[in-house]
């Protein structure tokens, strides 16, 4: 049998008692009493006040509930099914040459030498193309090519360390300099040949009207956007040509007709050969097998 104690602070106390009396059916009618008393106390405290005293069922999470997250995504349902497949003829995806052009770039730079030089012995140059971006214009058959890079110039020169009556002595030194350049060139694509394939993205929106058709429903909206993942055009460097003029500055007399200079003024005309390409789908030509020879019956 259990006892229930109800108090104002929502405190529960439960006690259990068990009585067991058994009598034997012996001739002497011996009575044996065995009594077990079990007490089990369970207390559950709740800080909330309940006006209705008849309601004693509380959820355990009612007093130990965790605060919810400030933001999140709930009730997510995903629907997706498609049985349609796009079929193409036999094609191959290869780099397609859009244009081949030559760009002339004029560069001026000052190169400071470590020691005063008596003369320049050799100059060797190469081109490092770092950036080449094709930007479409308002004409679908025209675009602008933006490029930038460096001219790596290796300059060997003879120094004037010691001067005697009939000779000038020194070391052979070199300097490797990076001279930056940039350019912008226009490209016109032919109307009948390969052209640039770039499809722009778009975004649209709309509203749903109310039942009377006099205004839109502000709590609903229609939105749509489409994105195309185009193949980015790129460039290849085909050739480079240089013509230059090196002028020694800050001349200092070393001997009768000999002068040393501490820095060089560079005037370079650079001709770049470029090829603009883009990966495109190209259909393969359909070649019909040759017909077998026909031999007439004799």
């Amino acid at each position: 049998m259990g006892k229930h104690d109800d108090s104002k602070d929502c405190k529960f106390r439960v006690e259990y008692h068990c009585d067991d009396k058994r009598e034997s059916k012996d001739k002497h009618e011996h009575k044996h009493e065995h009594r077990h008393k079990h007490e089990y106390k369970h207390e559950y405290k709740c800080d909330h006040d309940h006006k209705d005293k008849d309601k004693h069922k509380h959820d355990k999470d009612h007093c130990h509930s965790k605060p919810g997250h400030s933001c999140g995504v709930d009730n997510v349902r995903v629907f997706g099914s498609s049985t349609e497949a796009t079929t193409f003829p036999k094609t191959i995806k290869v780099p397609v040459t859009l244009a081949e052009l030559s760009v002339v770039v004029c560069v001026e730079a000052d190169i400071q030498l470590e020691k005063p030089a008596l003369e320049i012995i050799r100059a060797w140059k190469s081109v490092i193309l770092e950036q080449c971006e094709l930007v479409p214009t308002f004409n679908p058959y025209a675009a602008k090519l933006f490029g930038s890079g460096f001219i790596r110039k290796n300059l060997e020169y003879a120094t004037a360390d010691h001067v005697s009556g009939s000779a000038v002595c020194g070391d052979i030194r070199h300097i490797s300099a990076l001279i930056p350049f940039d350019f912008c060139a226009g490209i016109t694509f032919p109307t009948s040949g390969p052209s640039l394939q770039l499809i722009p993205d778009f975004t649209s929106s709309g509203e749903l009207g109310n039942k009377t058709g006099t205004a839109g429903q502000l709590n609903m909206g229609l939105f749509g956007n489409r994105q195309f993942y185009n193949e980015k055009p790129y460039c290849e460097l085909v050739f480079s040509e240089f013509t230059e003029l090196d002028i020694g500055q800050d001349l200092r007399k070393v001997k009768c007709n000999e002068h040393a200079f501490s820095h060089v003024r560079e005037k370079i005309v650079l001709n770049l050969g470029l090829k603009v390409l883009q990966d495109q789908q190209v259909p393969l030509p359909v070649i019909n097998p040759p017909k077998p020879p026909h031999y007439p019956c004799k």
Side-chain angles (χ1 to χ4, degrees), residues 53-115:
K53 295 183 178 180
D54 295 332
K55 295 181 179 179
H56 302 292
K57 296 180 180 180
H58 303 279
D59 192 0
K60 293 182 180 180
D61 296 333
H62 182 69
C63 299
H64 303 282
S65 61
K66 296 181 180 180
H69 298 286
S70 59
C71 61
V73 179
D74 298 329
N75 299 327
V76 178
R77 300 184 66 187
V78 180
F79 303 91
S81 63
S82 176
T83 58
E84 298 180 358
T86 305
T87 58
F88 292 95
K90 292 183 178 180
T91 59
I92 185 173
K93 192 173 185 178
V94 293
V96 176
T97 302
L98 302 179
E100 292 187 10
L101 69 158
S102 60
V103 181
V104 178
V105 184
C106 298
V107 183
E108 282 189 283
D110 285 328
I111 298 178
Q112 188 69 34
L113 303 178
E114 184 181 7
K115 286 186 176 183

Side-chain angles (χ1 to χ4, degrees), residues 174-189:
H174 79 93
I175 180 173
S176 296
L178 294 177
I179 304 172
F181 69 90
D182 53 10
F183 63 88
C184 179
I187 299 177
T188 302
F189 303 105

Side-chain angles (χ1 to χ4, degrees), residues 200-219:
D201 301 337
F202 85 93
T203 302
S204 62
S205 62
E207 294 183 357
L208 298 174
N210 56 11
K211 293 182 179 180
T212 59
T214 57
Q217 299 185 29
L218 300 180
N219 61 337

Side-chain angles (χ1 to χ4, degrees), residues 46 48 58 69 80 95 130 139 145 149 169 192 197 220-221 237 242:
C46 180
H48 294 276
H58 303 279
H69 298 286
E130 282 196 333
N139 185 358
L145 184 65
C169 300
S192 59
Q197 295 181 359
M220 295 184 183
L237 186 61
F242 298 90

